[in-house]
Amino acid sequence: MTSSLAPNNASVFLVDDDLAVRRGVAALLAAADYAVVSFESAEAFLLDLPELELDNAAMLVDVCMPGIQGLELQEQLKAQGVALPVIVMTAHGDVAMAVRAMRSGAVDFLEKPFTADEVSSALTRAFSAELPAAEPNESLASDLRTRFEALTPRETEVYGEIVAGATSKEIARALEISPRTVEVHRQNLMTKMEAGSIAELVRMAVALGICD
Amino acid sequence: MTKIDRSLLEDILETIDAPVVILATDGGILRFNKACERLTGYSAGEVVGRKVWDFLILDEEIGAVRSVFEQTRGDDTPTHFVNYWKTKNGGRRLIEWSNKKVEATKVYQACIIATGKDITEARSQEKALSESKAFLRSIVDASPVAIITTKDTGEILTFSRQAELSFGYDWAEVIGNNVRMLMPAYEQSRHDGFIERYLESGEGHIIGKARPVTALRRDGEEMPVILHVSEFQDDQRIFVAFIEDVTEQRKTERRLAETRDQLQHVGRLGAMGEIASSIAHELNQPLTAAASLVGAVSLTLKKADRETNRETAQLLDDAVDEIRRASEIIRNMREFVRKRKTARSLYDVNKVVEDACKVALIGADADGVCVTTDFSPKAGEMLLDRIQIQQVVTNLVRNAVDAMKETPQRELRISTARQNGYVEVRVEDTGDGISEEIEKHLFQPFVTSKEDGTGIGLSISKSIIDAHQGEIFGANKDSTGCVFAFRLPVSKNDLIPGP
């Protein structure tokens, strides 16, 4: 097991409307040595925000909640100039929403349920990296660009659609090819870009500046 | 001739019921018997010496009468002619004449004897009869139901215009043939049986009752028909068959039945998907909690870094894997239904909506619902999944009908329209409307105001319309009832008739 443990004094603000999920995820984060503060809603988080220590902190937020949803919270923080790395949690199949979150600056997204490893590596990235939209590493950027330019026109198109939040079915319809072909393009695309997940693919797109 | 002979002849001439007129060779009247007087109203004294065509013959017949007269005068053979005589009071009688020339004798000058028969009444009856026959024929030929008459032997006597159209035979091809030629083999024996039984017992299974049977067209196609047979006795027994071609009707029924089956099937699938979807979301939360808790314990154990702990941690990691697997199963179930191949083709929006309404409205008449439809021809054709869209329409229409169960005013209005780049389908009712409580969660699963409702219908409808990139909404009307509508965006691939 390679679960990386938390950097010193790192804290995570956990926002989820489900009590059991808050308890479980808080326990997992605590076991990974993060200091966890839980909130049952975006509103509750915003209420406490002025008193929170934001240095060396990240936020783990559910995208689908009653009242203010994860994405709106993210937008509000951005608007208020609060620089807090955000990881969104989604239920199954909400790739579109996750992609939107990442385009708004989320570091990563996690599909529920997730393992200790997955949440740890997402948080590690959140803490180690500067915020992703900030100055990208030069050599990494040129490396990414080389991979990106090696894509076929079709793969580039599919990439664009994925980043726009389209499902395979929607891509198939837009490009007038079969969903199965879309899957093939997506596999090739991920291999060529060396992306392990859609989240990573979207992150790269943000770094490449191919998002709107 | 003796004197007696002459007086006898006079008596005969005056007592005979037939009009007899004797003309001189110039056409002047020599004798005009009593029957002629009765017929015309003129007395013999008034007419003797006058020419017949000067006052007794219709203007338009004078030419013909004179030429027959000339022919009679010039020849020994008798002539026959039918013409009118005008009566004194302006009437006319139709008379069938036999004319014969009599040569001059010592006693008489040459003359022409014409003996007539008044056929005025006989002819008008005949005419009436032939007119009524023509009238009957025109009715028979105008009938949208094929009418065939046969003898009790099955020999075809008449074959109406519609019969020609339905069966594809010209009447001349079937008259005189046995009616069996109009049925497939398996109906022929049944038909013979029916006739035999009827003729023997006088009990008719087929007389006076409408029966669905199969007929045979000239091109060999079988044709479903409704047959109604009656009989009448003339000088012989005649059967009259009224035959209604119900091919189109059957086709429509079959199409609607198919649509209904498909809708039910997809409805079940859709309900399963929607339930799976909801379950997936609801169940995923505790699974996330459980996986996280177990993960936390595993991490804690690993940090203590003892051999036994590591083994235990491995077991816990396995437990997390199982929890994730449970989550995957639900995801797959949901994906399976969601990603079901959708068959999008170009469909006539109005036709799709109309068929769905027919299925949804089965039995609605009985509930006293007054249905009006207003389908805009501008709705055109769109790329859509027919069954899915029909499922939405059926849901909305059934909801509307259900909403009016308890209300005195039951009016349902279904309409289509195209505006601002989308096609809209509206379903309006005069029911109780949407309660405030329900309104907030209108399209969420398991929300229902019906006693036996599942709360799945509108939720599925929303999923379907979302998948078509459209929108669906429902609201109370200012007057009683509510309106539900969905809009589908018009894309470049859709065929919309020009404005």
Side-chain angles (χ1 to χ4, degrees):
Chain A
M1 275 283 168
T2 56
S3 300
S4 43
L5 296 184
N8 285 337
N9 308 322
S11 54
V12 175
F13 306 128
L14 172 65
V15 187
D16 195 301
D17 61 304
D18 191 298
L19 176 63
V21 170
R22 282 202 304 278
R23 247 196 90 211
V25 176
L28 183 62
L29 293 174
D33 291 339
Y34 287 97
V36 185
V37 191
S38 300
F39 302 90
E40 59 173 14
S41 68
E43 288 87 339
F45 174 78
L46 287 172
L47 204 65
D48 284 359
L49 182 60
E51 281 137 45
L52 294 176
E53 177 53 62
L54 299 179
D55 284 342
N56 207 16
M59 183 168 70
L60 195 54
V61 59
D62 192 50
V63 284
C64 186
M65 290 183 295
I68 298 180
Q69 301 217 338
L71 284 177
E72 284 174 66
L73 177 57
Q74 205 184 333
E75 304 282 332
Q76 284 197 22
L77 291 179
K78 226 164 89 176
Q80 290 180 29
V82 178
L84 191 62
V86 175
I87 297 167
V88 293
M89 298 180 286
T90 70
H92 298 313
D94 272 338
V95 175
M97 221 187 264
V99 169
R100 272 182 59 201
M102 300 217 32
R103 283 169 52 190
S104 310
V107 183
D108 210 340
F109 70 84
L110 291 170
E111 268 191 291
K112 286 178 174 178
F114 39 80
T115 61
D117 275 354
E118 285 164 349
V119 71
S120 292
S121 60
L123 280 170
T124 304
R125 206 160 31 240
F127 283 109
S128 63
E130 303 290 318
L131 289 186
E135 291 301 303
N137 180 314
E138 281 304 320
S139 73
L140 184 68
S142 77
D143 197 28
L144 268 184
R145 190 145 295 281
T146 314
R147 287 184 230 161
F148 181 66
E149 277 159 8
L151 298 179
T152 66
R154 214 27 148 189
E155 285 160 0
T156 312
E157 270 182 303
V158 172
Y159 197 174
E161 293 284 344
I162 290 174
V163 172
T167 63
S168 288
K169 220 162 73 182
E170 287 164 351
I171 298 172
R173 205 177 306 128
L175 303 183
E176 292 177 339
I177 53 181
S178 79
R180 184 183 288 262
T181 312
V182 173
E183 291 297 334
V184 172
H185 285 312
R186 196 162 82 167
Q187 277 307 316
N188 292 343
L189 166 65
M190 287 175 71
T191 312
K192 286 187 183 175
M193 289 304 289
E194 295 170 31
S197 67
I198 298 287
E200 217 169 322
L201 212 49
V202 174
R203 203 160 38 242
M204 288 171 179
V206 175
L208 283 163
I210 58 169
C211 285
D212 296 337
Chain B
M1 264 189 229
T2 65
K3 211 171 172 181
I4 295 166
D5 287 335
R6 278 181 54 193
S7 121
L8 181 64
L9 282 176
E10 287 289 327
D11 287 346
I12 291 171
L13 199 57
E14 293 309 317
T15 53
I16 193 168
D17 197 31
V20 179
V21 64
I22 301 175
L23 302 177
T25 45
D26 63 354
I29 294 172
L30 298 172
R31 290 295 305 265
F32 198 70
N33 76 346
K34 280 270 181 315
C36 282
E37 289 180 334
R38 281 197 299 276
L39 192 68
T40 62
Y42 291 109
S43 67
E46 285 176 285
V47 302
V48 169
R50 298 172 71 183
K51 296 192 168 71
V52 279
W53 43 78
D54 284 348
F55 67 106
L56 282 174
I57 306 299
L58 297 177
D59 290 347
E60 61 266 31
E61 291 188 342
I62 288 173
V65 168
R66 290 192 69 152
S67 95
V68 171
F69 181 77
E70 292 303 326
Q71 190 193 332
T72 314
R73 192 174 58 176
D75 199 337
D76 282 339
T77 51
T79 59
H80 302 277
F81 194 64
V82 174
N83 63 276
Y84 284 101
W85 262 15
K86 296 194 282 190
T87 63
K88 190 174 181 182
N89 62 16
R92 56 174 67 175
R93 306 299 301 180
L94 188 67
I95 302 163
E96 187 177 9
W97 294 105
S98 296
N99 315 308
K100 176 81 175 76
K101 184 177 79 168
V102 179
E103 295 295 345
T105 64
K106 283 174 197 162
V107 186
Y108 289 112
Q109 60 182 109
C111 63
I112 286 152
I113 300 175
T115 310
K117 183 183 173 197
D118 184 350
I119 57 169
T120 313
E121 272 77 31
R123 181 58 69 87
S124 71
Q125 275 172 16
E126 202 174 288
K127 200 172 159 209
L129 188 63
S130 93
E131 272 171 3
S132 80
K133 268 188 181 163
F135 180 62
L136 194 61
R137 169 136 294 271
S138 72
I139 291 176
V140 167
D141 277 346
S143 165
V145 173
I147 300 175
I148 300 172
T149 56
T150 69
K151 293 188 189 170
D152 55 14
T153 57
E155 184 189 323
I156 297 171
L157 295 171
T158 68
F159 200 68
S160 75
R161 180 83 197 107
Q162 183 58 44
E164 290 184 320
L165 291 175
S166 296
F167 286 90
Y169 283 108
D170 198 72
W171 68 271
E173 296 175 278
V174 296
I175 300 294
N177 283 313
N178 194 291
V179 73
R180 289 165 58 117
M181 74 187 286
L182 302 176
M183 6 180 143
Y186 60 89
E187 288 278 12
Q188 289 177 357
S189 50
R190 276 176 73 199
H191 177 258
D192 292 350
F194 278 129
I195 298 259
E196 211 168 289
R197 175 129 155 231
Y198 179 65
L199 295 180
E200 269 175 21
S201 64
E203 270 174 39
H205 277 257
I206 49 174
I207 299 296
K209 273 183 222 156
R211 244 163 28 98
V213 295
T214 305
L216 187 68
R217 291 169 47 91
R218 185 188 197 195
D219 58 15
E221 284 272 326
E222 293 191 357
M223 160 172 74
V225 298
I226 299 292
L227 172 68
H228 194 105
V229 180
S230 61
E231 71 154 340
F232 72 92
Q233 199 88 31
D234 197 5
D235 42 349
Q236 59 182 331
R237 197 198 296 263
I238 306 277
F239 290 118
V240 185
F242 301 86
I243 299 161
E244 189 184 358
D245 179 356
V246 290
T247 309
E248 283 309 309
Q249 214 172 307
R250 287 287 140 80
K251 266 190 208 158
T252 307
E253 282 168 13
R254 204 171 313 131
R255 200 184 66 234
L256 286 180
E258 269 167 25
T259 303
R260 195 180 54 228
D261 288 350
Q262 286 169 333
L263 280 175
Q264 277 170 357
H265 175 69
V266 174
R268 280 192 294 269
L269 260 189
M272 194 176 101
E274 209 60 30
I275 292 167
S277 205
S278 306
I279 290 176
H281 187 77
E282 297 299 316
L283 208 52
N284 213 37
Q285 297 287 65
L287 288 178
T288 301
S292 300
L293 287 170
V294 176
V297 177
S298 165
L299 258 187
T300 312
L301 283 177
K302 278 178 215 159
K303 275 192 295 184
D305 198 28
R306 282 179 25 207
E307 192 60 29
T308 48
N309 279 0
R310 243 178 276 148
E311 282 167 17
T312 314
Q314 185 55 49
L315 295 179
L316 293 173
D317 285 342
D318 291 349
V320 172
D321 285 346
E322 288 306 306
I323 292 171
R324 281 165 67 96
R325 201 162 68 86
S327 175
E328 283 296 316
I329 290 169
I330 301 169
R331 175 217 289 258
N332 289 342
M333 178 171 158
R334 186 180 171 210
E335 299 283 293
F336 166 72
V337 182
R338 278 272 160 103
K339 285 189 173 169
R340 191 180 63 83
K341 258 190 226 143
T342 65
R344 282 198 197 182
S345 309
L346 270 185
Y347 287 105
D348 177 339
V349 175
N350 288 340
K351 184 99 188 86
V352 166
V353 173
E354 194 185 354
D355 277 358
C357 288
K358 278 185 192 154
V359 170
L361 287 171
I362 291 170
D365 278 356
D367 294 340
V369 176
C370 168
V371 185
T372 52
T373 54
D374 181 10
F375 295 146
S376 164
K378 285 187 190 166
E381 293 193 335
M382 292 186 87
L383 260 188
L384 46 83
D385 183 319
R386 179 175 63 87
I387 296 293
Q388 285 194 339
I389 292 298
Q390 287 184 328
Q391 206 190 339
V392 176
V393 175
T394 329
N395 274 331
L396 298 186
V397 170
R398 289 226 173 106
N399 281 350
V401 171
D402 287 348
M404 296 187 286
K405 269 193 178 134
E406 308 291 332
T407 54
Q409 190 192 3
R410 296 176 194 173
E411 288 166 31
L412 175 65
R413 186 172 183 278
I414 302 151
S415 57
T416 61
R418 182 204 170 199
Q419 48 191 318
N420 305 332
Y422 55 78
V423 167
E424 181 177 285
V425 178
R426 288 172 83 86
V427 177
E428 294 164 69
D429 65 48
T430 53
D432 291 332
I434 311 160
S435 74
E436 214 174 296
E437 190 189 337
I438 295 282
E439 198 171 9
K440 280 184 259 173
H441 314 284
L442 209 47
F443 294 100
Q444 284 177 21
F446 311 124
V447 174
T448 183
S449 60
K450 296 187 211 173
E451 258 173 46
D452 53 353
T454 56
I456 289 292
L458 282 181
S459 161
I460 291 176
S461 299
K462 181 161 169 44
S463 300
I464 290 172
I465 298 302
D466 283 349
H468 280 78
Q469 279 88 43
E471 29 174 346
I472 184 167
F473 44 90
N476 285 318
K477 291 196 292 188
D478 290 341
S479 50
T480 37
C482 62
V483 53
F484 276 86
F486 62 87
R487 292 173 175 174
L488 301 176
V490 174
S491 86
K492 64 183 189 324
N493 295 326
D494 300 323
L495 291 179
I496 300 292

